[in-house]
Amino acid sequence: MRHAAVLLLDSSNAVLVLILVSLGLAIIFGLMNVINMAHGEFLMLGAYGAMQLGRIGVPFWLALALAPMLVGAFGLVIEELLIAKTYNRLIDSILATWGLSLFLRQAIVLVFGPGSYAVAAPDVGAVQIFGGPYPVYRLLVMALSLAAIGFTFAVFFRTRFGLAARAVVANRDMAACLGVNTRRLDRITFAFGAGLAGLAGAAMAPLISVDPSAGLGYLVPAFLSILVGGLGSISGPVVGGAGVGALDSLTSAFYSPVWAQLAVFVAVLFVIRVFPSGLVATLRREA
Amino acid sequence: MLEVNRVCSGYGGGVVLDGFSLALKAGEAVALVGRNGVGKTTLMKTIMGLIRPSSGSIALAGKRIDGRAPFEIARAGVGYAPQGREIFAALSVEDNLLLGDLAARTADEAYRLFPALAARRNTPAGRLSGGQQQQLAIARALMARPRLLLLDEPSEGVQPTVVAEIVAALGQIVAQRGLALLLVEQNIEMALALVSRFVLVDQGRAVATHAASAVAADPSLLMGALAL
C-alpha cells in the first residue's frame, strides 16, 4: 500500500513538472510558431541559477523565486537578439534554437565545469505516508507546479492579455489587424515560457543532478506531450504531459527506464496515428 | 484621409498591383469594382500592412503607413473586415468584439448597432450564421473607432435580408462618425446604397471613376470592368 502511494506521488511529481515544461514550450510554439530546441536548457539554467544563488548565500526560498525571473529576463534578451530574427522562418528557428542549446550547454561547462552539482533540499521534514516517511519538499514542488500551471491558465482565460494571446494563436494576422501588438506579445510569451521552464529547473534542483545536460531529459518528453495533446491549445500539453509523464514514470518503476522509453514512443506513435491533431483538438471537434 | 500613390505590390515577388493610385477624403465612401484577380483584395491587404508594397506610398491623414506593421496601422485608425470574415471561431461573440478594442470596458455600442449579436454574446462565433458572422466582423472592426474602414466583400454568403440590415447599420454609422469607407463589393445594389463613387480596377490599376449617381442611372458603365 505504501509502495503504491509513494509511486503515485513520485509519478505525480514527474507529471506536474513535465506539464510545466511542456506548457512553456507549447505557448512559445502556439503564439510565435517557434520550435524552441533550447527549452530544456532554460530548465537547466533555472537549476544552475538556484544552485549559484544558494552558493552566494541567498536563502533557498528566495533563490527559488529569483531563479525563474532571471531565466525569464534571459529569455527576453534571447528573444530580441535571436528569435525575433527568425520570424516566420520555422526551419531557421529550429536551427537557431538548437545552436543556442549547444551554446548554453558549453557556456555552463566553461563557467561551472562539466561535472554535476548537488543542491541541498531545504529542511522541511517528512510526512508519514502509510507508515513510512515521504519528503515534504517533494509535496511542495507539486503544489508549486500546480500553482504555476493554474496561474498560467488564469492569465490565458481570465485576462485581456490572455484573450489577445489566444487570438494570436488562432489567427496571428487577423489579431494584428485588430491592433494586437504582436511584437510585444512575442517578447512576453518567450520570457514567460522560459520562466516556466526555469521554475521547473529551480524547483527540481534539489531532486536531480545539476549538470549541463540536465535539460535534455525533458526536451523530448515535452515535445511528445505536445504532439499527443495537440497544438493550438493550452489544454493540450496538460493532457499530453499527464499521459506521457504517467506512462513514463509508471513503466520506469514497474519495469525499467529502457522499457519506459519504448512504451512512451510506441504509445505516442499510436496516438498520433489515430488522432493526428492530438487528443484535445479531436475531442473539441467532436463536441 | 487615404492617399495611395502608385503602389506596386504582390505575393512572393509576383506583381498584382501595378502602380495603383487612389485618394479618399475624410468621410468619403468609395467602392472598388473589378473582376476576380485584378488586385482589390491585394490593395486592402497592402493598406493594412499585411503585404509590403515594393514601391509607391500609402498615407493616412497625411502620415505614411506603408512599411509599418499591421498592428500599428490598425492603431493609426484603420479598421478591417476581410474577405471571409476571419472571426475567431472558438472565441465567443463578446470576446471577438473585445479583441477589436482591448481597452474597452463593454461591447455595448456594437450590440446597439447589431442587436442580433447581443442575443448571442456568449455563443462561440463559429456557430453563427454567415450573416451574423459578417455583422460580427464589421462590429469588431468598428470597436476601435477607426477613421477608415476597409470592407472586403461583405455580402458574400449573406442572405439578402441580412445584407439590408448591414447596409442600414453601416449607413447609420458612417454618417454618425464621419467614417471613410473603402468597399470591395460585387453586389452593385449594396454598393450604391453606401458609396458616392465607384472606382474600376483592372490589371492592378485604377482605370476609371464614376459617381454613384451616374452608375445608378446607367449600370452598364461598370460592365467594362466586370465583363470577361
Side-chain angles (χ1 to χ4, degrees):
Chain A
M1 192 64 222
R2 166 153 209 279
H3 187 64
V6 169
L7 186 58
L8 205 62
L9 284 169
D10 283 350
S11 295
S12 305
N13 197 349
V15 162
L16 285 169
V17 172
L18 181 59
I19 290 177
L20 207 56
V21 176
S22 309
L23 208 54
L25 196 60
I27 289 170
I28 290 173
F29 181 70
L31 260 116
M32 302 168 66
N33 257 318
V34 166
I35 294 184
N36 182 20
M37 302 295 286
H39 204 69
E41 274 59 55
F42 289 139
L43 183 147
M44 184 262 292
L45 286 175
Y48 270 92
M51 179 203 78
Q52 185 59 13
L53 285 170
R55 275 166 112 196
I56 62 173
V58 176
F60 180 82
W61 298 107
L62 188 60
L64 185 55
L66 275 175
M69 288 193 243
L70 290 171
V71 176
F74 180 68
L76 256 177
V77 172
I78 292 295
E79 200 282 335
E80 191 66 52
L81 290 178
L82 185 67
I83 310 294
K85 312 275 187 261
T86 66
Y87 175 66
N88 241 359
R89 289 143 55 194
L90 188 66
I91 308 287
D92 292 355
S93 80
I94 297 176
L95 277 171
T97 53
W98 182 241
L100 177 67
S101 160
L102 293 169
F103 173 81
L104 287 173
R105 271 182 274 146
Q106 290 312 308
I108 289 289
V109 169
L110 283 173
V111 175
F112 291 101
S116 69
Y117 288 84
V119 175
D123 190 6
V124 282
V127 284
Q128 291 295 319
I129 306 268
F130 293 109
Y134 192 79
V136 170
Y137 184 70
R138 280 190 172 266
L139 297 174
L140 288 171
V141 170
M142 285 192 260
L144 187 62
S145 305
L146 270 171
I149 294 167
F151 174 74
T152 304
F153 272 82
V155 167
F156 261 81
F157 290 103
R158 295 239 186 279
T159 66
R160 295 283 175 102
F161 171 83
L163 180 61
R166 279 184 288 146
V168 170
V169 173
N171 189 337
R172 192 186 171 95
D173 277 348
M174 194 59 225
C177 289
L178 292 172
V180 174
N181 188 337
T182 47
R183 260 319 280 138
R184 217 185 84 210
L185 209 73
D186 284 350
R187 268 185 227 122
I188 297 175
T189 299
F190 198 79
F192 186 70
L196 281 178
L199 177 65
M204 289 295 282
L207 303 173
I208 58 170
S209 146
V210 180
D211 64 66
S213 57
L216 292 176
Y218 287 90
L219 188 69
V220 170
F223 273 120
L224 294 176
S225 305
I226 297 172
L227 283 173
V228 163
L231 304 161
S233 83
I234 65 164
S235 329
V238 177
V239 171
V244 169
L247 186 63
D248 189 23
S249 56
L250 291 174
T251 315
S252 215
F254 282 116
Y255 297 96
S256 77
V258 178
W259 280 110
Q261 288 267 340
L262 195 63
V264 166
F265 275 108
V266 167
V268 171
L269 277 166
F270 177 73
V271 170
I272 296 178
R273 182 68 188 81
V274 179
F275 306 103
S277 320
L279 292 169
V280 172
T282 312
L283 285 170
R284 250 202 219 126
R285 222 172 289 132
E286 256 126 62
Chain B
M1 173 59 47
L2 179 71
E3 254 191 61
V4 178
N5 202 353
R6 291 217 289 265
V7 163
C8 297
S9 88
Y11 305 93
V15 173
V16 177
L17 292 178
D18 193 12
F20 193 100
S21 293
L22 175 72
L24 225 74
K25 292 196 282 285
E28 199 186 353
V30 169
L32 294 178
V33 289
R35 290 185 301 277
N36 291 330
V38 296
K40 308 186 297 291
T41 297
T42 308
L43 176 68
M44 297 252 157
K45 289 191 177 172
T46 309
I47 296 173
M48 208 56 221
L50 291 169
I51 304 172
R52 199 187 210 124
S54 54
S55 70
S57 70
I58 304 178
L60 184 74
K63 284 213 191 112
R64 287 280 291 264
I65 57 172
D66 54 288
R68 309 254 313 261
F71 77 85
E72 292 175 312
I73 295 176
R75 289 187 184 191
V78 182
Y80 182 38
Q83 195 175 22
R85 266 86 78 168
E86 309 263 1
I87 47 119
F88 301 103
L91 300 178
S92 70
V93 164
E94 175 117 343
D95 279 346
N96 266 272
L97 290 170
L98 290 173
L99 278 163
D101 181 10
L102 286 165
R105 265 177 305 129
T106 67
D108 287 344
E109 255 198 77
Y111 295 135
R112 267 198 292 276
L113 201 58
F114 294 112
L117 296 178
R120 295 173 180 81
R121 67 179 71 197
N122 292 318
T123 314
R127 296 230 195 103
L128 299 178
S129 70
Q132 289 160 350
Q133 287 188 0
Q134 186 58 256
Q135 292 177 322
L136 178 60
I138 294 173
R140 185 180 62 175
L142 290 171
M143 283 288 291
R145 308 197 141 261
R147 300 183 279 177
L148 166 67
L149 182 62
L150 304 176
L151 274 184
D152 199 345
E153 307 262 6
S155 75
E156 191 176 43
V158 178
Q159 69 192 69
T161 48
V162 182
V163 171
E165 277 173 39
I166 292 176
V167 167
L170 268 175
Q172 183 194 328
I173 233 206
V174 165
Q176 231 170 53
R177 295 190 190 171
L179 188 56
L181 176 66
L182 187 59
L183 175 71
V184 170
E185 191 42 78
Q186 309 265 23
N187 180 340
I188 304 302
E189 265 183 53
M190 181 191 191
L192 277 171
L194 288 170
V195 306
S196 59
R197 185 158 53 106
F198 281 77
V199 171
L200 277 63
V201 182
D202 197 11
Q203 292 190 320
R205 290 216 180 106
V207 295
T209 305
H210 297 293
S213 47
V215 174
D218 180 14
S220 70
L221 283 172
L222 300 181
M223 283 306 121
L226 294 173
L228 288 162

